[in-house]
Amino acid sequence: MGTSTQNKGPNSKNPLVPTWLEGNGSGAESQQQQGGDASDVVPNPQIKPESGQRFRSPRGEMNRFFRTGDSGAMKNGIRRYVKNTGGKSSAVKRMGSSTKAAGNLLSFLTDVAQRGTDAVAKSFNLTLKPNETADELLLRVSDQICDVSTSNIPDAVTRSAYIETVIEMTTKIGVTDLNTITPEQIKASLSCFIGKSVTERIINDIGNNIVAEKANPEQLQNTLRELGGYIEGCASDAVSNLTSDGLDIMDTALVGKIDEIYTNVFEILESVGGE
């Protein structure tokens, strides 16, 4: 199974997002065909992978983490990444459609908790299937929650993070029946999605030598698990900080605070580590 050439992994023009998650880019076109006003269609930000030198320093730190497992290098790389994007607000803008999807996921889960899956499914023009499981329904509403129509990196990150979140919701968070989902599970699910979307965005921007730096699959999985756990922990802290300030996870006003949560995540990530 060897090869005669060294695999340097994907470069900044070859993002680490599965190709099977790419959309067909038909969202705006289908709306126009259905009689929608093209002027009402808000274009998704076409954020491309960084190809210049702006991320050279954070990319070097991240590659050192993948090569050596040095957690300090990981944290420094992420801190410098946030700084080099222009700060926490600019980093949030690079998330593209993920912020909207996080709000949609929160709205969907709180609505289901309050009204039940039957009523919510009808509002999505869906009919529940006999014995439909939680993950099956969550995947059926993925288009409405992710609300993306392009194959650019931010949209692909959104879809990938959502699918990974659904898997974690039903295997680790314990969501087996959406009708009995608890506020604690909703909070954990929101934190999970936010953390995974940030992780995948960062990997796409500064983890471009990931395969070359960690050729051993087991070591690679360990470093990726540590990276994801660290960022998801920061996301959990950001959500907890906001809810501890008086907003309940079931409060519809929290949906309008999603950008603030993402901002807090990047603020935490930028504050950890040192030169």
Side-chain angles (χ1 to χ4, degrees), residues 55-66 68 70 72-80 206 274-275:
F55 291 152
R56 181 176 181 179
S57 174
R59 185 175 290 123
E61 291 283 2
M62 189 61 68
N63 288 339
R64 182 155 70 91
F65 164 62
F66 290 131
T68 66
D70 183 349
M74 173 192 71
K75 293 175 182 179
N76 277 333
I78 295 174
R79 181 182 60 80
R80 291 176 181 175
I206 62 174
E275 295 294 344

Side-chain angles (χ1 to χ4, degrees), residues 13-44:
K13 296 181 180 179
N14 185 14
L16 291 172
V17 175
T19 54
W20 55 268
L21 284 172
E22 293 188 352
N24 57 19
S26 61
E29 180 181 354
S30 61
Q31 181 171 342
Q32 292 177 28
Q33 291 175 346
Q34 294 171 9
D37 187 347
S39 63
D40 293 335
V41 179
V42 179
N44 287 314

Side-chain angles (χ1 to χ4, degrees), residues 131-247:
N131 302 317
E132 187 166 24
T133 61
D135 57 337
E136 289 172 342
L137 180 56
L138 286 166
L139 291 176
R140 275 218 290 156
V141 298
S142 62
D143 285 347
Q144 293 93 327
I145 290 178
C146 294
D147 192 22
V148 296
S149 60
T150 77
S151 58
N152 65 25
I153 288 179
D155 285 358
V157 162
T158 299
R159 287 189 290 267
S160 180
Y162 179 73
I163 291 173
E164 289 185 7
T165 298
V166 170
I167 294 172
E168 190 146 324
M169 285 175 65
T170 55
T171 58
K172 295 182 180 180
I173 299 176
V175 180
T176 56
D177 183 353
L178 287 172
N179 285 309
T180 60
I181 193 170
T182 66
E184 291 75 18
Q185 289 173 325
I186 293 175
K187 181 178 177 180
S189 300
L190 176 63
S191 301
C192 180
F193 175 80
I194 292 174
K196 289 185 182 301
S197 61
V198 171
T199 300
E200 295 207 23
R201 176 74 254 194
I202 289 176
I203 287 176
N204 272 275
D205 278 338
I206 62 174
N208 63 317
N209 282 333
I210 187 171
V211 177
E213 298 296 342
K214 273 289 188 181
N216 184 296
E218 184 176 354
Q219 290 177 324
L220 176 60
Q221 287 302 315
N222 288 338
T223 50
L224 286 173
R225 191 178 299 113
E226 181 179 353
L227 173 64
Y230 170 62
I231 296 176
E232 287 176 41
C234 292
S236 179
D237 289 345
V239 173
S240 295
N241 289 343
L242 197 59
T243 54
S244 65
D245 288 342
L247 273 179

